[in-house]
Structures are given as C-alpha cells and as structure tokens.
Amino acid sequence: MEKRKFGQTGQEFPILSFGAQRIVDEHNCTEEEAIQIVNRAIDEGITYFDTAPIYSKGQSEERLGLALGSRRSQVWIATKTIDRTRDGSLRSIEASLKRLQTDHVEEWRLHDVRTMEQLEQCFAKDGALQALIEAKEQGIIKHISISGHTNPNVQIEAIERFPFDSALVALSAADHFIYSFAEEFLPKANDKGMAIIGMKVIGLGRLAQWYEKALRYTWSLPISTAIIGMESMEQLENNLRVAKSFVPMTDLERLEFFKEIIHMANPDVLRWKAKDWSNKEEWAERL
C-alpha cells in the first residue's frame, strides 16, 4: 500500500487506516472476530487505529486493547474526548488508557467540535484543550488533534488559534457539495503542515454503490490517510484490495463521479452537516 507522511510527526502510514468503532457487539462483531480482524490488519501493514470512548460505551477501546496485546508497540492509537472541560477530559483519558491496556496513546483529539460555541468551551481556561496540553506534558499522549464533521469554518478557526498536530475531518465525495472540508479546510491545514485524516468516506453507507470510487476519491485528496470502519474480515479484505491497487482519480474521473452522486447531496445522506444532527445514529451505522 502507498504510504504518506503524517504531518510533521516524522511518521508515515498507509493510505488505509483502521476505524475501530465497528468491532463491537452492536455491529455483530464478536470479541474473537475483533481480535482476528485487528491482527490481520496489522499483518497487512495497517498501523493507524482510531477509536473513542463513546463508541459502544467503551467497547471499541476495550476490544482494541485486547486485540493489540503484545503488538501494542507496532501501532499508533488515536482516541478522543467528547467532554469539553479539562477535568472531564482528564477523567476520560484515564478511563481510555485502562480500556486500551496501555500507559499512553500516540494521539488524543477533541471529538466532533461542531460549533464556535463548542470550540470556545474547549479553548476556555478550564476547557478540554488544557487537558490535552497537560496530558502531552506528562507523556500520556504524544500528539494533539481535533475532529470535525459539520462546519469546516470551526476547524479552520481552531487551527488558526492552536498548532494542532492533526485533524480528522469528513471527506467523503458527498461532502464536496456543502460545507466542504476538501475545498475549505484542506488548503489551510496543508499550508500548516498538519496531518489530515479523512473519515465518512462511504458516507454512512450511502455511497456503498460507488464503494471503490468513494475510496479512490478520498485517497486522491492531499491527506495523510483515511480511516475506514470495519466490522468483518470480508470488509477488511475488500478495503485492502482497493488500497493495494489504488490509482489517483484524474480530474475527468472526479467530475464524472460528481455527476453520478450529485443527487446524494441531500439531508438524508449528509445528516452530519445539520445543526440538530444526533451522534447516536452515526455510532450505530457509521462507516
């Protein structure tokens, strides 16, 4: 698989990274299957694993911790805090480390910062960002990150105010048509030399009909890697197959793809762009 630099961290990762939110019971993935899938991914060179305490009430982190075992040193773990306060976030990372069975994570991020109000909460004197800074000083985390699904202007403001090492943002082809992180956020983040991780690649499954094109679109962007949710060995093997044969989209291919999916730019598909969107449904069917 093609590998790319991960911002200014000195690391590089394959274009295909592992979204661990789906290796849980609610996606009909057993503990045994989760362990097998994670280890197969590592065997194939995948080393970047994304999780969060909110995924299935911590089961994603628990499963990842169990699966890694003695291979912990071979991988990069990114987890998150949805709490907007310093104290709440510090409690969150403490619990995450226990579930992950590790004494540190490589990357900790502010999770799903949607609005300027939430950003202000994170940046306040006793806000979540302070917890990330303190955790890095203590060696509990190595790098500080932020994620966003909804409005790229929020993440643009964030990176203007603080030197985040990375950002996880929505970069499906359908995202191109409204509040586009690809058009608005990527140029500014790349100018700063940040690592950029793509997500929402299959658009909560709505782009499944164009599965391979959807992957190619996101990987063709100037990003470091993209996380794909995987709940079965079959999904992992399919993702590996497409990643290993990846060829960037030409401008003409991209335009033709946009013509095929322009009708997908509607509230039913792009629910994460809505101000009143609830995470609950995403955690249940996220890809």
Side-chain angles (χ1 to χ4, degrees), residues 217-271:
Y217 165 82
T218 301
W219 286 332
S220 297
L221 296 171
I223 63 173
S224 302
T225 188
I227 57 169
I228 313 295
M230 305 181 225
E231 66 197 47
S232 70
M233 195 68 76
E234 179 183 11
Q235 290 178 356
L236 171 60
E237 296 295 347
N238 283 336
N239 291 331
L240 286 166
R241 173 182 56 79
V242 180
K244 289 177 179 180
S245 62
F246 168 67
V247 176
M249 274 188 164
T250 64
D251 290 343
L252 182 58
E253 285 178 315
R254 185 169 177 258
L255 178 60
E256 291 301 317
F257 185 31
F258 284 159
K259 290 179 180 178
E260 291 180 53
I261 65 168
I262 184 65
H263 67 283
M264 305 297 283
N266 63 68
D268 180 58
V269 176
L270 296 170
R271 285 169 289 169

Side-chain angles (χ1 to χ4, degrees), residues 1-277:
M1 282 185 288
E2 178 187 336
K3 290 186 176 182
R4 297 178 185 173
K5 291 182 180 179
F6 196 71
Q8 301 179 37
T9 66
Q11 299 292 318
E12 62 176 24
F13 298 106
I15 54 175
L16 173 61
S17 289
F18 198 103
Q21 69 271 23
R22 299 177 70 89
I23 53 170
V24 295
D25 288 342
E26 66 183 279
H27 285 287
N28 299 312
C29 181
T30 67
E31 182 177 295
E32 180 180 2
E33 289 171 330
I35 292 171
Q36 292 174 346
I37 294 166
V38 168
N39 278 277
R40 171 65 175 159
I42 299 172
D43 290 342
E44 286 294 318
I46 294 175
T47 52
Y48 188 99
F49 288 81
D50 173 271
T51 185
I54 198 173
Y55 299 154
S56 298
K57 300 179 180 179
Q59 191 177 63
S60 170
E61 290 182 326
E62 291 173 355
R63 292 270 173 91
L64 187 56
L66 282 170
L68 293 176
S70 62
R71 307 186 79 173
R72 168 66 183 95
S73 62
Q74 297 177 240
V75 305
W76 176 290
I77 299 176
T79 194
K80 312 177 184 77
T81 175
I82 196 69
D83 198 292
R84 304 308 184 198
T85 68
R86 170 192 176 274
D87 293 349
S89 292
L90 289 176
R91 289 192 294 270
S92 178
I93 191 63
E94 182 179 4
S96 289
L97 293 176
K98 289 180 180 178
R99 287 189 289 264
L100 288 163
Q101 300 184 34
T102 187
D103 61 359
H104 75 283
V105 293
E106 283 71 24
E107 198 173 0
W108 192 25
R109 53 176 141 256
L110 302 174
H111 193 172
D112 186 17
V113 183
R114 300 186 197 176
T115 66
M116 292 298 181
E117 290 76 15
Q118 290 179 355
L119 186 66
E120 292 299 335
Q121 292 171 354
C122 291
F123 273 75
K125 180 180 179 181
D126 294 315
L129 181 59
Q130 184 60 39
L132 274 67
I133 294 170
E134 292 178 20
K136 184 176 181 181
E137 291 171 348
Q138 297 167 17
I140 297 172
I141 69 169
K142 305 301 181 184
H143 301 282
I144 294 176
S145 182
I146 188 170
S147 73
H149 308 72
T150 307
N151 183 353
N153 290 317
V154 176
Q155 277 62 47
I156 290 170
E157 176 65 17
I159 67 174
E160 291 296 333
R161 293 170 59 175
F162 184 83
F164 288 93
D165 297 303
S166 69
L168 171 67
V169 294
L171 288 170
S172 78
D175 278 283
H176 172 84
F177 301 112
I178 182 170
Y179 293 125
S180 173
F181 280 91
E183 296 297 323
E184 299 180 41
F185 178 76
L186 288 192
K188 295 182 181 297
N190 277 312
D191 283 347
K192 293 180 178 295
M194 295 175 58
I196 304 163
I197 311 102
M199 64 171 168
K200 286 286 188 302
V201 179
I202 314 297
L204 299 184
R206 299 304 196 272
L207 297 179
Q209 179 182 342
W210 302 273
Y211 166 71
E212 294 193 18
K213 289 182 180 179
L215 289 174
R216 285 186 64 209
Y217 165 82
T218 301
W219 286 332
S220 297
L221 296 171
I223 63 173
S224 302
T225 188
I227 57 169
I228 313 295
M230 305 181 225
E231 66 197 47
S232 70
M233 195 68 76
E234 179 183 11
Q235 290 178 356
L236 171 60
E237 296 295 347
N238 283 336
N239 291 331
L240 286 166
R241 173 182 56 79
V242 180
K244 289 177 179 180
S245 62
F246 168 67
V247 176
M249 274 188 164
T250 64
D251 290 343
L252 182 58
E253 285 178 315
R254 185 169 177 258
L255 178 60
E256 291 301 317
F257 185 31
F258 284 159
K259 290 179 180 178
E260 291 180 53
I261 65 168
I262 184 65
H263 67 283
M264 305 297 283
N266 63 68
D268 180 58
V269 176
L270 296 170
R271 285 169 289 169
W272 56 91
K273 299 294 188 183
K275 291 182 179 180
D276 59 351
W277 171 62

